[in-house]
């Protein structure tokens, strides 16, 4: 391990204080009052029709009072934005309109990296709106665009990360001129949920000027926060919005040809129809219905190679389950066990997919979500069909929570899975009960946690889990501490549990954000030294189950280049032999040690960017040398090509092996709503490569024409394994419009 000694010195250098004479920069002008000001906006009623063309020439725009004075969060916190931004808000009986004039002294340098709907706005020039329609200062709707007029929409719950998988019905138009660009949003009222008039909403706006890596807000935010920080948002007043009725019907038709290349197999031709519906029960409660549910248009999973004892997590990508998903989140997705995301009480991928990721037909379901009497309400039921000898299941989820002042809230959760039909056994069921809460103390401290219990026939041991989490964040120093227990018979069958062995776990993280003047004079924006340690112990005797150490510094250049130098450690306490790779067994005992990790990337704003990560050091009772390479080429916002390759070279006393995992992503955008994407993957453990090719012609809210081709090929001279060609069309009918 001698080769790790200089690496440790490099990783720890900034944390040790390399600039003892340099004091932290004094707060910029205005920074001390960021959390104390709450600006107000006034909406105007449109007295004449508005044409959505991005020109902002109608009388309604001239009569509306402009919102100006945007304030930087990055790079110079508290300073005025470098370019002028004017925002005007008007409404009529059908929609809310937001008109934006984004001045730019050099519009030829506007950065556009993608022109596809819901593409990431954080790495290009963009403008984003957040609306807290119940003024609970925790939940909101997000709408954004870039200079080419793409649509980005998302939901925010509990001031958490934006969930961009929500698709609403709305529109936007933009124009680029000699003095900057303009954007004109039209958001139908039936796309939102809100209370009775007169309304006061929370609101904030974010402008991103990417060539300067500048983020500027209308309601100022410290740089450690994002747009979702609704507790610091401004207020939108003078709204008198009626409550339009909402009934949308979304029928679909799908046709497919599927060929399994086993001896004697023939091409399977199939066709089907189904329907979804969205019903406004009240202005603040929506009922979503689905029958014969289909997700043919969804991208396939990105492959992973598992060299651990624990379960892998694949993200949910299906639109029906992603909408309002934050309402049902308790566990990792909602603030518990936050460091690793290793437990969620409700994980929707358990519905409609079996243990191997194969599709299980969904007959239908319903979801009621929204607010009633000040409570967040979520009721959910789905029914799957029998498959072979496997019985269908009925899945029921009930969630009630209450938002409290100061970023706080409490809630309860109930989940039930029960086998149905003639194939069902009486003891084929599972239940989960959960209670959670979060509490903000001032602006810097947050504590929270959850407690849960499961019921499973035949399991009589410890079937409970709980976790407490806490954080302190003042923008310069961040400290996290978590502690929790998961019993060996805790079995959330409709949730996600990475580690099923039962454990006692604690986690601590300390991070410092360093922005001294001397650092900036060297061309850096920030140093970010940090360290965290996670340990899992067996419940019976407290012995080591596994542990992980991470000591790192982020070297962030002002020009967009980035390097991370880290010392990582991992240790495993094996109670029985572990087959890490076919034919290679690691004996019982405590194994592990340190490794050096370096990660770097060039400026991702450029037309070409490169990233690389190297791990060198201990792996279990042996050594490893691993590399991950990434290579991205862009043509404006039209074409994007990304190659990723991971190679792991492992040497153990029981034998050596190499794994390779690669993929290529290609995207071509004809317009923001018409694009083609491909994902080509190679996995040498399964000795196969696969292709997922998708063409989307979107209309609104995720509807339109979808054409999908899937191909899996063997690399052992066996030729094709499976090929499928799918055509699907979804149409939205706004019945009450």
């Amino acid at each position: 391990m001698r080769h790790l000694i200089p690496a440790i010195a490099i990783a720890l250098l900034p944390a040790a204080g390399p600039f003892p004479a340099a004091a932290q920069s004094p707060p910029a002008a205005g920074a001390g009052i960021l959390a104390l000001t709450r600006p107000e906006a006034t909406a105007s009623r449109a007295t004449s029709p508005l044409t959505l063309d991005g020109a902002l020439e109608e009388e309604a725009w001239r009569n509306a009072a402009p919102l100006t004075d945007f304030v930087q969060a990055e790079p110079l916190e508290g300073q005025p934005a470098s370019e002028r931004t004017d925002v005007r808000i008007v409404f009529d009986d059908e929609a809310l309109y937001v008109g934006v004039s984004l001045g730019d002294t050099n519009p030829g340098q506007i950065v556009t990296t993608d022109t596809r709907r819901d593409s990431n706005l954080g790495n290009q020039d963009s403008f984003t709106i957040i609306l807290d329609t119940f003024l609970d200062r925790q939940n909101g709707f997000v709408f954004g665009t870039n200079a080419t007029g793409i649509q980005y929409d998302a939901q925010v719950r509990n001031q958490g990360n934006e969930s961009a998988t929500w698709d609403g019905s709305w529109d936007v138009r933009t124009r680029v001129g000699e003095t900057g660009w303009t954007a004109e949003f039209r958001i139908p009222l039936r796309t939102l949920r809100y209370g009775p008039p007169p309304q006061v909403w929370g609101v904030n706006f974010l402008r991103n000027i990417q060539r300067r890596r500048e983020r500027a807000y209308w309601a100022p935010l410290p740089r450690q926060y994002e747009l979702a920080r609704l507790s610091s948002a401004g207020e939108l007043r003078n709204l008198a919005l009626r409550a339009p009725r909402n009934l949308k019907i979304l029928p679909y038709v799908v046709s497919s040809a599927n060929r399994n290349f086993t001896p004697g197999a023939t091409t399977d031709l199939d066709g089907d129809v189904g329907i979804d519906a969205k019903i406004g029960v009240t202005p603040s409660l929506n009922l979503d219905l689905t029958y014969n549910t289909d997700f043919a248009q969804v991208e396939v999973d990105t492959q992973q190679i598992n060299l651990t004892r624990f379960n892998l997590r694949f993200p949910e990508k299906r639109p029906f389950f992603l909408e309002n998903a934050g309402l049902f989140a308790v566990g990792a997705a909602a603030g518990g066990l936050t460091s690793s995301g290793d437990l969620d009480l409700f994980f929707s991928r358990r519905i409609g997919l079996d243990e191997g990721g194969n599709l299980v037909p969904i007959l239908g379901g319903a979801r009621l979500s929204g607010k009633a009497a000040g409570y967040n309400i979520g009721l959910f039921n789905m029914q799957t069909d029998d498959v072979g000898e496997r019985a269908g299941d009925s899945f029921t989820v009930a969630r009630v929570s209450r938002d409290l002042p100061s970023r706080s809230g409490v809630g309860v959760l109930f989940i039930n899975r029960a086998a149905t039909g003639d194939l069902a056994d009486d003891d084929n069921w599972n239940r989960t009960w959960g209670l959670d809460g979060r509490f903000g103390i001032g602006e810097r401290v947050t504590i929270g946690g959850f407690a849960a219990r499961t019921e499973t026939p035949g399991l009589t041991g410890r079937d409970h889990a709980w976790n407490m989490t806490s954080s302190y964040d003042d923008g310069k120093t961040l400290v996290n501490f978590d502690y929790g227990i998961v019993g060996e018979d805790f079995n959330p069958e409709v949730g996600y549990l990475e580690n099923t062995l039962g454990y006692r776990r604690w986690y601590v993280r300390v991070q410092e954000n360093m922005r001294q003047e001397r650092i900036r004079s060297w061309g850096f924006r920030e140093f970010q030294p940090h360290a965290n340690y996670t340990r899992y112990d067996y419940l019976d005797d407290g012995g080591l189950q596994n542990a992980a150490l991470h000591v790192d510094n982020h070297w962030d250049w002002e020009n967009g280049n980035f390097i991370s130098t880290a010392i990582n450690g991992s240790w495993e306490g094996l109670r029985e032999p572990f087959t890490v790779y076919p034919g290679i067994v690691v004996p019982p005992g405590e194994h592990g040690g340190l490794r050096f990790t370096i990660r770097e990337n060039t400026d991702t704003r450029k037309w070409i960017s490169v990233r690389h990560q190297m791990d060198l050091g201990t792996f279990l009772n042996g050594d490893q040398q691993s590399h991950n390479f990434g290579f991205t080429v862009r043509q404006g916002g039209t074409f994007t090509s990304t190659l990723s390759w991971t190679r792991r070279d492992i040497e153990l006393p029981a034998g050596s092996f190499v794994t390779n995992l690669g993929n290529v992503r290609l995207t071509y955008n004809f317009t923001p709503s018409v694009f083609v994407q491909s994902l080509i993957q190679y996995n040498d453990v399964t000795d196969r490569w696969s292709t997922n090719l998708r063409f989307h012609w979107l209309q609104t809210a995720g509807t339109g024409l979808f054409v999908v081709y899937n191909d899996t090929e063997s690399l052992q001279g066996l030729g094709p394994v499976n090929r499928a060609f799918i055509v699907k069309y979804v149409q939205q009918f706004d019945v009450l419009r």
Side-chain angles (χ1 to χ4, degrees):
M1 305 297 290
R2 288 195 301 262
H3 58 283
L4 290 176
I5 294 175
I8 294 175
I10 293 173
L12 293 176
L13 182 61
F19 312 117
Q24 187 77 13
S25 300
I33 61 171
L34 290 181
L36 303 179
T37 58
R38 192 182 298 281
E40 293 185 1
T42 301
S44 302
R45 176 173 284 278
T47 57
S48 58
L50 288 168
T51 301
L52 199 70
D53 56 9
L56 307 182
E57 294 174 343
E58 290 86 356
E59 181 181 359
W61 294 124
R62 294 194 295 271
N63 293 337
L67 308 177
T68 59
D69 301 327
F70 277 58
V71 178
Q72 292 185 46
E74 291 276 6
L76 302 175
E77 181 181 335
Q79 293 293 323
S82 64
E83 303 283 359
R84 181 178 176 87
T85 304
D86 294 342
V87 182
R88 293 172 170 83
I89 304 172
V90 300
F91 65 92
D92 58 23
D93 290 337
E94 299 294 330
L96 182 79
Y97 301 84
V98 180
V100 193
S101 176
L102 302 107
D104 198 311
T105 54
N106 193 345
Q109 292 189 15
I110 291 175
V111 177
T112 300
T113 59
D114 205 332
T115 58
R116 177 174 46 89
R117 177 170 179 148
D118 281 336
S119 59
N120 181 9
L121 296 180
N123 57 9
Q124 55 187 320
D125 282 62
S126 58
F127 182 82
T128 311
I129 306 162
I130 189 166
L131 300 172
D132 174 8
T133 55
F134 290 101
L135 200 63
D136 57 27
R137 307 206 183 282
Q138 300 197 52
N139 308 300
F141 298 93
V142 178
F143 305 91
T145 191
N146 65 1
T148 66
I150 72 167
Q151 290 178 283
Y152 172 91
D153 47 21
Q155 289 177 313
V156 168
R157 294 206 63 85
N158 303 331
Q159 297 196 131
N161 294 327
E162 297 175 9
S163 174
T165 51
W166 174 71
D167 285 322
S169 296
W170 61 284
D171 210 345
V172 65
R173 294 291 185 273
T174 60
R175 289 192 179 189
V176 179
E178 295 180 355
T179 60
W181 59 290
T182 57
E184 190 174 16
F185 294 79
R186 183 183 186 275
I187 305 170
L189 299 182
R190 57 171 50 90
T191 297
L192 305 170
R193 295 195 296 273
Y194 50 89
Q199 297 96 352
V200 177
W201 292 358
V203 66
N204 206 353
F205 309 101
L206 164 64
R207 182 177 181 184
N208 194 54
I209 304 175
Q210 188 60 18
R211 66 179 179 275
R212 302 188 182 106
R213 296 175 62 196
E214 177 180 321
R215 288 186 297 124
Y217 295 93
W218 172 68
L221 290 175
R223 58 185 169 86
Q224 71 267 29
Y225 300 131
E226 302 292 339
L227 185 65
R229 180 81 171 184
L230 284 165
S231 59
S232 300
E235 293 183 354
L236 177 59
R237 297 181 174 273
N238 198 42
L239 292 171
L241 305 176
R242 70 183 186 91
R245 295 179 298 166
N246 186 24
L247 174 58
K248 297 186 178 73
I249 306 297
L250 297 92
Y252 81 83
V253 58
V254 62
S255 179
S256 64
N258 193 308
R259 175 69 184 271
N260 186 351
F261 287 85
T262 56
T266 60
T267 301
D268 182 16
L269 301 177
D270 196 10
D272 211 344
V273 296
I275 190 170
D276 291 350
K278 292 181 177 293
I279 304 170
V281 180
T282 71
S284 56
L285 273 176
N286 271 6
L287 176 64
D288 294 279
L289 304 174
T290 180
Y291 171 72
N292 203 20
T293 314
D294 176 83
F295 303 107
Q297 73 274 25
V298 176
E299 183 185 64
V300 299
D301 289 324
T302 302
Q303 295 186 32
Q304 303 178 49
I305 296 176
N306 192 359
L307 300 180
T308 74
R309 297 178 287 165
F310 307 116
N311 296 322
L312 292 177
R313 183 183 183 118
F314 292 89
E316 177 63 271
K317 298 181 179 181
R318 298 170 296 174
F320 184 88
F321 294 108
L322 288 167
E323 185 172 347
N324 291 319
L327 176 61
F328 299 92
V330 177
L337 299 176
T338 53
S339 64
S340 59
D342 55 5
L343 193 161
D344 270 321
L345 298 188
F346 176 56
F347 187 47
S348 57
R349 277 185 64 104
R350 301 296 183 228
I351 303 172
L353 294 169
D354 64 16
E355 294 80 2
N358 301 306
L359 294 177
V360 175
I362 297 176
L363 298 177
R367 177 183 58 229
L368 180 70
S369 60
K371 278 187 179 284
Y375 289 89
N376 302 308
I377 305 295
L379 299 174
F380 178 97
N381 181 264
M382 297 289 284
Q383 176 68 53
T384 61
D385 201 359
D386 300 341
V387 177
E389 297 300 317
R390 173 176 176 156
D393 285 297
S394 174
F395 298 88
T396 300
V397 184
R399 171 72 164 157
V400 179
S401 64
R402 177 88 177 194
D403 297 317
L404 303 174
S406 189
R407 313 185 318 279
S408 303
V410 294
V412 294
L413 177 72
F414 170 72
I415 304 171
N416 184 77
R417 181 201 61 79
T420 58
D422 296 337
L423 299 176
D425 297 327
D426 292 338
D427 60 354
N428 190 351
W429 55 271
N430 176 262
R431 296 190 184 109
T432 301
W433 309 79
L435 171 70
D436 68 309
R438 66 190 183 282
F439 305 95
I441 303 174
E443 290 295 319
R444 300 176 177 180
V445 177
T446 305
I447 61 174
F450 73 88
R453 179 174 179 262
T454 61
E455 295 180 84
T456 309
L459 296 182
T460 59
R462 287 170 288 202
D463 56 6
H464 64 276
W466 62 268
N467 185 78
M468 296 295 295
T469 181
S470 60
S471 69
Y472 170 87
D473 188 358
D474 65 3
K476 179 176 178 292
T477 302
L478 171 68
V479 180
N480 294 114
F481 180 77
D482 292 1
Y483 182 80
I485 290 176
V486 173
E488 68 276 2
D489 279 348
F490 183 72
N491 181 37
E493 290 185 0
V494 197
Y496 173 77
L497 182 59
E498 179 182 274
N499 182 338
T500 60
L501 301 177
Y503 54 84
R504 180 178 291 105
R505 170 188 174 276
W506 62 275
Y507 163 83
V508 63
R509 177 183 178 90
V510 179
Q511 175 179 303
E512 191 76 7
N513 299 311
M514 302 172 63
R515 292 198 172 196
Q516 288 92 342
E517 289 299 327
R518 186 177 300 182
I519 292 174
R520 294 180 58 85
S521 70
W522 291 355
F524 291 96
R525 171 168 291 194
E526 182 177 63
F527 288 168
Q528 193 181 88
H530 58 276
N532 55 264
Y533 180 73
T534 310
R535 181 182 173 99
Y536 297 77
D537 291 319
Y538 289 101
L539 287 176
D540 51 2
D541 60 6
L544 172 69
Q545 188 183 101
N546 63 90
L549 171 70
H550 177 69
V551 181
D552 193 0
N553 181 59
H554 292 173
W555 312 68
D556 185 6
W557 272 271
E558 194 67 49
N559 63 11
N561 295 332
F562 174 89
I563 289 182
S564 164
T565 52
I567 297 301
N568 290 314
S570 57
W571 296 267
E572 298 287 339
L574 303 180
R575 297 289 177 88
E576 55 187 40
F578 167 52
T579 302
V580 64
Y581 189 82
I584 298 179
V585 178
V586 180
E590 291 192 5
H591 309 293
L594 300 175
R595 67 184 185 275
F596 172 61
T597 302
I598 183 168
R599 178 166 54 95
E600 64 274 344
N601 64 259
T602 62
D603 185 359
T604 57
R605 296 170 295 183
K606 304 298 185 182
W607 71 274
I608 183 170
S609 61
V610 180
R611 61 177 172 80
H612 169 251
Q613 177 174 320
M614 180 189 72
D615 288 89
L616 178 64
T618 303
F619 179 80
L620 292 171
N621 60 340
D623 294 296
Q624 69 167 315
Q625 181 174 333
S626 302
H627 294 271
N628 174 270
F629 297 94
F631 185 77
T632 299
V633 176
R634 289 191 177 94
Q635 168 105 33
T638 303
F639 174 74
T640 303
S641 170
T642 301
L643 167 67
S644 178
W645 193 274
T646 300
R647 175 185 172 90
R648 302 189 67 180
D649 193 338
I650 311 293
E651 295 184 3
L652 302 175
S656 302
F657 63 93
V658 174
T659 67
N660 286 279
L661 184 66
N663 64 67
V664 177
R665 294 179 181 272
L666 302 172
T667 302
Y668 188 85
N669 304 313
F670 299 96
T671 72
S673 58
V674 181
F675 54 89
V676 61
Q677 294 179 305
S678 67
L679 173 60
I680 303 171
Q681 303 186 79
Y682 167 70
N683 184 334
D684 70 352
V685 173
T686 60
D687 208 22
R688 292 181 177 180
W689 65 271
S690 62
T691 301
N692 174 234
L693 180 64
R694 298 178 301 136
F695 171 78
H696 288 197
W697 191 335
L698 299 179
Q699 295 178 351
T700 184
T703 63
L705 175 67
F706 308 92
V707 181
V708 181
Y709 174 71
N710 292 318
D711 182 13
T712 300
E713 302 278 342
S714 172
L715 296 179
Q716 295 182 336
L718 301 178
V721 176
N722 180 270
R723 289 174 180 165
F725 183 76
I726 305 164
V727 179
K728 179 179 179 180
Y729 181 73
V730 186
Q731 176 69 48
Q732 175 179 285
F733 295 96
D734 195 343
V735 178
L736 301 179
R737 183 171 179 176

